């Protein structure tokens, strides 16, 4: 997980703006504002993790102080808490704990209640959320309606519960749910002038992948305008074979592939496109998938245009991730060049974020993904991608690496579930996430070990539970810099799937 605490704010219990009652810490996960917590709540979390994580060494927790803290002491505590969360976010044994997932999920809900983003009435009623399961693209490459589901979504539901509801509404067998996940996506044109339809496959922009520690209703509310998108969650295309024998799963995979081809996420030659159109007109999904799976870009995610420093500074490129690679497509004159970087040659990577805490708490003003790549024998080079989708790129790389490591160690791919809840959440449905390192750096860890946990509800009371009266959080004072940027010189966590090469391998 990417953890950061870019700023703090004061909570006034009486709402009068007098003397502050306590300080809350604004916690971001994977680049998005998640919740605000007090020191004692984070300390209670530490104590519970200490009891449950007997096989994982927890970092020291910032000590308590009896006297009120000065501004400089608050800043020191903020940085120490951030460092603590970033360290535990590196350990897959901790991040996969059911207790931690429930703690973060409840924290998001109670923070939204305290900030009046949702009301107690919302918490009790069923809410409608649109879920897109795919587009049935026409032979000419355009959209032709597709499937839109209206799913009853309770504000307290986490991602797994909503995913299960969606798949059951589609009559997908329970044993196949593990192969799918939910994304937040946006129609790019609609967000600008409202002129485009969500049925236009070329207008889709993936915002982020939803994780089990969040409420889809609240996360979608913070990211508006957006919709939910159902996609396969694995990176190894051989897991398609698990879906082809079921008509519902086959239709979902087929619709997803049609949309990817129509958006040109899957690159086809003119002859190949004619063959695919012919198979689509004949309604032969199995033959269509068999043919398209031969293409190298099948199963990849494509991101929006980004600024990269390869092969030269300020180069505009389209970024694609999949098939154990990150590829850059750049235009030089009238020609399009594609450069592929194998994930097993990335020694490490990190995400740098700049938070403008006054203007936008929900979105960083700038995100950069940097990875150190083995260009040739004993030659490493840092390559930087500047994109608002940098966090999703990092999460995708991490999921791909985790699936690769799991496949190598167990002889099976990342979509095959384990017996415990944590392994099923992180490996079966691909919920493994990128991690942070030091307070000034966000990096990716490839730890795939699993831990044990209980399913008890976290016994910590959050902001919305402290009194009968709800008090809105104020932003009277912040103790972090207005612009928070990660230090690019800080240490990074190494990629355990990294492979050394020789010049003859290039």
């Amino acid at each position: 997980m990417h953890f950061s605490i870019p700023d703090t704010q004061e909570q006034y219990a009486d709402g009068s703006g007098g003397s502050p009652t306590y300080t809350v810490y604004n916690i971001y996960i994977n680049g998005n504002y998640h919740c605000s917590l007090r020191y004692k709540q984070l300390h209670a979390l530490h104590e519970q993790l200490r009891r449950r994580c007997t096989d994982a060494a927890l970092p020291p927790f910032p000590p308590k102080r009896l006297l009120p803290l000065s501004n400089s002491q608050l800043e020191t505590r903020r940085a120490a808490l951030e460092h603590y969360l970033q360290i535990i976010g590196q350990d897959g044994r901790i991040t996969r704990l059911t207790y931690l997932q429930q703690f973060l999920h409840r924290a998001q809900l109670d923070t939204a209640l305290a900030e009046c983003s949702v009301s107690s009435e919302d918490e009790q009623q069923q809410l409608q959320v649109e879920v897109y399961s795919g587009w049935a693209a026409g032979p000419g490459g355009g959209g032709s309606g597709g499937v839109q589901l209206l799913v009853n979504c309770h504000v307290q539901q986490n991602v797994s519960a909503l995913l299960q509801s969606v798949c059951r509404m589609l009559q997908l067998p329970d044993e196949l749910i593990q192969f799918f996940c939910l994304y937040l996506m946006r129609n790019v044109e609609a967000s600008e002038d409202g002129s485009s339809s969500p049925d236009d496959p070329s207008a889709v922009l993936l915002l982020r992948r939803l994780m089990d520690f969040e409420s889809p209703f609240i996360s979608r509310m913070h990211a508006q305008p957006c919709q939910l998108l159902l996609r396969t969650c694995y990176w190894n295309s051989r897991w398609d074979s698990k879906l082809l024998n079921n008509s519902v799963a086959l239709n979902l995979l087929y619709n997803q592939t049609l949309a990817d081809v129509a958006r040109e996420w899957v690159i086809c030659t003119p002859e190949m496109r004619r063959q695919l159109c012919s198979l689509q007109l004949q309604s032969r999904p199995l033959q269509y998938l068999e043919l398209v799976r031969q293409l190298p870009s099948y199963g990849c995610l494509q991101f929006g245009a980004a600024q990269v420093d390869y092969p030269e500074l300020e180069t505009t490129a389209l970024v694609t991730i999949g098939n154990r690679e990150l590829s850059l497509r750049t235009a030089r004159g009238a020609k399009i060049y594609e450069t592929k970087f194998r994930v097993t040659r990335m020694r490490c990577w990190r995400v740098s974020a700049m938070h403008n805490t006054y203007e936008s708490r929900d979105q960083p003003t700038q995100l950069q993904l940097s990875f150190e790549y083995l260009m040739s024998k004993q030659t490493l080079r840092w390559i930087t991608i500047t994109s608002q989708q940098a966090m999703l790129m990092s999460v995708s790389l991490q999921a791909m690496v985790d699936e690769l490591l799991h496949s190598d160690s167990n002889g099976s791919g990342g979509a095959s579930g384990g017996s415990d809840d944590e392994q099923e959440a992180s490996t079966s449905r691909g919920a493994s996430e990128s991690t942070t390192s030091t307070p000034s750096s966000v990096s990716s860890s490839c730890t795939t070990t699993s831990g044990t946990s209980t399913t008890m509800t976290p016994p910590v009371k959050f902001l919305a539970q402290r009194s009968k009266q709800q008090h809105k959080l104020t932003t009277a004072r912040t103790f972090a810099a207005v612009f928070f940027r990660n230090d690019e010189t800080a240490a990074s966590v190494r990629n355990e799937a990294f492979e050394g090469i020789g010049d003859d391998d290039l």
Side-chain angles (χ1 to χ4, degrees), residues 54-71:
T54 57
D55 59 339
L58 291 175
F61 193 81
K64 293 182 178 179
R65 292 181 180 271
L66 297 178
L67 299 177
L69 301 181
S70 65
N71 286 4

Side-chain angles (χ1 to χ4, degrees), residues 332-395:
R332 304 178 205 170
K335 295 184 178 180
I336 302 295
Y337 293 85
E338 184 174 30
T339 306
K340 295 185 177 182
F341 301 92
R342 290 168 51 183
V343 71
T344 51
R345 295 185 184 177
M346 296 179 183
R347 193 181 70 87
C348 59
W349 69 83
R350 61 178 176 233
V351 175
S352 301
M354 179 182 293
H355 295 280
N356 184 338
T357 59
Y358 285 109
E359 293 182 4
S360 175
R361 191 175 63 181
D362 292 333
Q363 291 294 334
T365 58
Q366 186 180 31
L367 286 172
Q368 290 183 338
L369 171 69
S370 301
F371 59 91
E372 191 175 24
Y373 193 76
L374 187 61
M375 307 296 293
S376 61
K377 187 176 181 180
Q378 298 182 344
T379 302
L380 289 163
R381 171 174 173 175
W382 280 98
I383 296 172
T384 299
I385 302 171
T386 302
S387 169
Q388 288 298 100
Q389 295 176 289
M391 200 67 72
L392 177 58
M393 294 178 192
S394 179
V395 171

Side-chain angles (χ1 to χ4, degrees), residues 1 30 92 95-96 209 211 235 394-403 414 422-435 445 447-448:
M1 294 182 185
N30 293 341
T95 58
R96 285 191 288 265
R209 178 170 167 177
M211 300 297 180
W235 298 91
S394 179
V395 171
S396 300
L397 287 174
Q398 182 64 61
M400 189 161 46
V401 168
D402 282 348
E403 185 176 289
E422 294 76 33
Q423 186 175 4
E424 182 175 353
S426 62
T427 305
S428 301
R429 295 201 307 272
S432 55
E433 302 166 2
S434 302
T435 62
S445 169
T447 304
T448 56

Side-chain angles (χ1 to χ4, degrees), residues 105-114 116-128 152-158 215 217-218 221 457 462-465 467-468 470:
H105 176 248
R106 188 66 197 178
Q108 184 189 37
L109 174 61
D110 289 328
T111 298
L113 286 170
C116 301
S117 298
V118 296
S119 66
S120 57
E121 289 76 16
D122 293 331
E123 192 177 9
Q124 300 300 324
Q125 68 182 7
Q126 300 292 304
L127 301 174
Q128 297 284 317
N152 291 326
C153 177
H154 199 283
V155 69
Q156 292 192 43
Q157 277 186 319
N158 68 354
S215 161
F217 176 83
I218 298 175
M221 178 182 63
T457 302
F462 293 92
L463 295 175
Q465 299 174 308
S467 64
K468 295 181 180 180
Q470 301 295 328

